[in-house]
Amino acid sequence: MSKQSNHFTFANEAEIEDLGNGLKRQMLGYNEELMAVKIWFAEGAIGYNHAHRHSQVTYVVEGEFHFNIDGVTKILKTGDSCFIPPYADHGATCPTGGILIDTFSPAREDFLEDK
């Protein structure tokens, strides 16, 4: 990958990508080993189930999310977090609208393909 974000990222300078279907993404910082991403969910938006090789920790900044991790569903609210192990099938729905901070190790190469 051999890419790295600047040492400081300011919210008013970092691009916000519209992913469609009520989802937006902003890269907060990354190198080959670690990545942090801010994700906005519109009311009713769905992060469809998927799996990847990366370890992931997600923090709920605001809103309510129904997380499914390997067939177990839990409701997470503002201030909650979860760990998603590599290759675990996972997804989330957001009935209220909300914001997540996702961290990945190593960084998600697929998020950087067009950067």
Side-chain angles (χ1 to χ4, degrees):
M1 177 182 350
S2 72
K3 288 189 175 190
Q4 181 169 309
S5 65
N6 295 327
H7 292 287
F8 300 98
T9 302
F10 301 96
N12 62 347
E13 296 176 1
E15 174 188 2
I16 297 174
E17 303 171 73
D18 188 342
L19 304 175
N21 299 316
L23 299 173
K24 294 181 181 177
R25 173 174 66 203
Q26 182 181 44
M27 308 299 283
L28 300 179
Y30 60 89
N31 66 10
E32 285 100 2
E33 299 168 357
L34 183 65
M35 174 180 278
V37 180
K38 188 174 187 177
I39 309 284
W40 287 264
F41 280 67
E43 183 178 330
I46 299 170
Y48 290 98
N49 274 43
H50 63 286
H52 45 73
R53 69 183 186 93
H54 313 82
S55 294
Q56 177 176 339
V57 173
T58 296
Y59 174 78
V60 180
V61 176
E62 68 180 52
E64 178 181 298
F65 291 83
H66 298 201
F67 266 85
N68 181 305
I69 303 172
D70 276 342
V72 176
T73 300
K74 299 278 184 177
I75 296 174
L76 278 68
K77 296 182 179 181
T78 302
D80 292 337
S81 61
C82 63
F83 171 72
I84 302 166
Y87 304 105
D89 185 60
H90 62 283
T93 60
C94 185
T96 62
I99 300 171
L100 300 176
I101 301 293
D102 287 341
T103 54
F104 301 98
S105 179
R108 293 282 304 263
E109 308 87 352
D110 54 321
F111 288 5
L112 299 173
E113 289 174 354
D114 296 331
K115 303 244 176 274

